[in-house]
Amino acid sequence: MAGHSEPLRPVKSTRKRRTQGDKDRAFSQYIYLREVGLISAVSLIAGTMIGSGIFMSPEWVLYHMGSPAGALIIWTACGLLVMFGALSYAELGTIIKESGGDYIYILRNFGSLPAFLFAYTSIIVVRPASMAGVSLSFAEYAVAPFYQGCSTPQVVVKCTAASCILLLTIINCLNVRLATAIMNIFTVAKLLVLLVIVIGGVVLLINGHTQSFQDAFQNTTAGIGPVGAAFYQGLWSYDGWNNLNFVTEELRKPEVNLPKAMMIAIPLVTCLYLLVNMSYFAALTPAELLSSGAVAISWGNKVLGSWVWVISLSVALSSFGSANGTFFSGGRVCYIASREGHMPDILSMAHVRCLTPSPALIFTSAIALIMIIPGNFITFFFFFGSFTAWLFYGTTIAGLLYLKIKKPELPRPYKVPIIIPIIVLIASVYLVLAPVIDQPQMKFLYVILFILSGIIVYFPLVHYKRHPQFLQRVTLHLQLLLEVAPTAKNTN
Ligand code: ARG
């Protein structure tokens, strides 16, 4: 196949697929185009990582660490941890060339049940919760300028967040190229905004605004619990670093571009985050930062004056771009899990003309929409998401260590020194255990019970394949309605 980039188009339209012969032909397969080049790959990573976190969580990192220097150390450590994690994922991505990120790595290394539990938790809670969270941040900032001086009605925020999700669903279902173009444009925009904040900080520092950096270590906390909590806050801003591994099959020359994109995007984001934090400390005292509510806005009020709306708008746009990246890769988890028989068949199909995994995308967005409805539940989902994410990152990394030790002969275009995944594994164990040891609470038990509840679903529906009779007919009807057909892997 020329440059393995030609899609197979065996059936023109699923509308005709009515007779038995046509039904057989429904199993003709489609494959994905490799539409994602290096630039889109970098922007998929950086554009998802930079969402609303860097505009809000510095306050919380400072709160847990107690001092500016402590906070800056956490931001640096998070960047390093994420870089180490990404390098390890880059090796995994060049050994296992299928899309699906953590899911496919857990499947290939540890087998069906652990992979199912990952998919189940990720599809039902973690991904939609990220989506809902980032869309809600978008909505908060997008409508804030219309409600100056009074609090924004929750219903308006939620409806705006829902519209964001619906718009992203339409864009992502229509065209992969459109979705990546949006990602690129928004990434450039948010890099510019961060640069504005950095330049503002440099000007302030040159003019002698260095109060926050005097006695910078005073009041630093060092307990397991607060440091763990500070890490979680910082790591949320870095989350999305492994996004590219979810779309390996759509990436051009993945063995080269996967490690390269990570090595460009993650140091870039880390440096920007550190400089942005310094700029916040230059403009605001630690006390002002702690009472700010939304640190970027307080920064804007001080430095930009009446132009502060630029920051509100930027946070909104940045969140929108991040939601797009989250959705782009999140939909793929559902799609790949279904392709491996872990979710209903319909979710592994692609639209016959748009060649996008529209059923998986629609399903993911439906769950995210439901998550927007409950009031305070979203904080619980957030907690759930971060805790579970690190549980599974650790599992995936353990898989890499297994491959490195047991199967050193596998061809690896990119190799990472073994100490790096070991550090990431130790860090994930710390991140999972620190909050449990520091403040043992029932919610940890609920999370574990939820993950384990997947076993009850797994055995009848996946292992013994006891599918309800009507499912096949429902699949066929949905296939006709959505104009979708099965797809094949693209790993050559
Ligand atoms: N890091 C982003 C932020 O600061 C959140 C990204 C969530 N998406 C994801 N795929 N984990 O808002």
Side-chain angles (χ1 to χ4, degrees):
M1 215 181 321
H4 39 241
S5 63
E6 284 300 310
L8 301 181
R9 291 175 183 272
V11 186
K12 276 260 161 34
S13 161
T14 41
R15 273 208 197 105
K16 291 185 196 146
R17 220 173 281 138
R18 295 225 166 117
T19 64
Q20 185 56 46
D22 286 338
K23 256 191 232 166
D24 294 341
R25 262 194 288 154
F27 291 97
S28 320
Q29 298 194 313
Y30 284 74
I31 61 164
Y32 275 102
L33 294 163
R34 290 191 182 266
E35 299 262 28
V36 183
L38 181 63
I39 295 184
S40 303
V42 171
S43 93
L44 176 60
I45 304 175
T48 313
M49 287 172 78
I50 308 171
S52 60
I54 185 59
F55 303 104
M56 307 206 271
S57 48
E59 179 185 341
W60 292 104
V61 176
L62 176 67
Y63 169 80
H64 291 296
M65 290 309 293
S67 74
L72 289 174
I73 290 174
I74 291 292
W75 283 97
T76 315
C78 288
L80 276 177
L81 174 59
V82 158
M83 186 71 224
F84 286 174
L87 293 177
S88 310
Y89 272 60
E91 178 169 335
L92 275 169
T94 52
I95 303 174
I96 300 166
K97 293 190 186 136
E98 296 151 81
S99 289
D102 310 47
Y103 166 77
I104 208 79
Y105 307 143
I106 295 178
L107 178 68
R108 298 288 171 244
N109 289 324
F110 298 118
S112 185
L113 179 60
F116 176 78
L117 295 183
F118 172 85
Y120 172 75
T121 321
S122 182
I123 294 168
I124 298 188
V125 186
V126 180
R127 285 285 166 162
S130 297
M131 245 329 256
V134 185
S135 313
L136 283 168
S137 303
F138 159 78
E140 291 267 1
Y141 283 90
V143 300
F146 302 102
Y147 291 91
Q148 272 167 1
C150 56
S151 64
T152 322
Q154 273 308 297
V155 59
V156 176
V157 173
K158 290 191 175 188
C159 289
T160 314
S163 324
C164 163
I165 294 178
L166 289 175
L167 181 62
L168 288 174
T169 314
I170 295 172
I171 293 170
N172 278 272
C173 285
L174 276 181
N175 193 323
V176 175
R177 236 178 245 175
L178 182 63
T180 51
I182 288 191
M183 211 131 57
N184 295 349
I185 295 168
F186 278 81
T187 304
V188 172
K190 59 181 108 178
L191 289 177
L192 287 178
V193 177
L194 291 184
L195 219 55
V196 168
I197 301 185
V198 171
I199 293 172
V202 171
V203 173
L204 288 172
L205 288 174
I206 291 174
N207 289 330
H209 288 255
T210 51
Q211 320 78 302
S212 302
F213 301 103
Q214 284 147 15
D215 295 324
F217 279 100
Q218 214 178 11
N219 301 329
T220 310
T221 11
I224 293 189
V227 173
F231 259 108
Y232 270 119
Q233 284 294 336
L235 285 170
W236 168 250
S237 297
Y238 283 96
D239 212 32
W241 53 270
N242 64 338
N243 249 8
L244 195 56
N245 290 64
F246 289 93
V247 296
T248 322
E249 288 166 44
E250 288 166 72
L251 183 63
R252 289 189 207 119
K253 288 207 241 128
E255 62 294 343
V256 179
N257 284 337
L258 187 66
K260 224 184 199 173
M262 288 185 169
M263 284 181 213
I264 298 174
I266 294 170
L268 177 74
V269 173
T270 308
C271 290
L272 277 172
Y273 278 10
L274 281 175
L275 294 171
V276 165
N277 268 286
M278 287 188 177
S279 175
Y280 290 152
F281 282 123
L284 307 162
T285 63
E288 283 174 328
L289 226 144
L290 283 175
S291 60
S292 67
V295 47
I297 301 293
S298 308
W299 184 94
N301 275 326
K302 267 233 160 134
V303 182
L304 302 179
S306 59
W307 285 78
V308 61
W309 60 268
V310 174
I311 299 286
S312 300
L313 185 71
S314 308
V315 183
L317 295 183
S318 174
S319 308
F320 185 82
S322 179
N324 183 35
T326 304
F327 192 54
F328 188 81
S329 57
R332 264 61 176 178
V333 184
C334 181
Y335 158 77
I336 303 284
S338 155
R339 199 172 68 178
E340 297 295 331
H342 280 167
M343 290 283 146
D345 283 347
I346 184 75
L347 297 176
S348 65
M349 298 193 186
H351 192 273
V352 289
R353 283 182 305 277
C354 302
L355 290 170
T356 52
S358 40
L361 292 170
I362 294 171
F363 184 73
T364 307
S365 88
I367 304 182
L369 284 174
I370 296 172
M371 281 202 175
I372 287 185
I373 302 168
N376 294 331
F377 276 118
I378 197 72
T379 21
F380 178 68
F381 287 134
F382 256 148
F383 151 78
F384 190 116
S386 316
F387 178 76
T388 338
W390 281 93
L391 187 68
F392 285 118
Y393 291 152
T395 314
T396 309
I397 295 285
L400 174 65
L401 286 171
Y402 166 80
L403 287 181
K404 275 179 143 348
I405 295 164
K406 290 278 181 207
K407 300 189 178 168
E409 74 289 352
L410 284 179
R412 300 168 153 79
Y414 174 77
K415 260 190 196 159
V416 70
I418 193 156
I419 183 71
I420 289 186
I422 292 179
I423 296 175
V424 185
L425 183 61
I426 295 173
S428 344
V429 172
Y430 170 76
L431 284 168
V432 171
L433 292 185
V436 183
I437 294 172
D438 189 50
Q439 283 180 333
Q441 288 174 33
M442 285 308 277
K443 58 183 181 182
F444 296 105
L445 189 66
Y446 296 149
V447 173
I448 301 293
L449 284 180
F450 178 83
I451 298 176
L452 294 181
S453 72
I455 299 177
I456 303 170
V457 183
Y458 176 80
F459 278 100
L461 293 181
V462 180
H463 190 75
Y464 294 110
K465 297 194 170 55
R466 295 262 179 276
H467 297 163
Q469 283 291 313
F470 65 89
L471 203 64
Q472 226 178 349
R473 289 190 40 207
V474 172
T475 305
L476 209 70
H477 282 295
L478 284 174
Q479 235 189 307
L480 297 172
L481 181 73
L482 299 172
E483 302 195 348
V484 292
T487 53
K489 286 180 192 169
N490 187 13
T491 50
N492 45 9

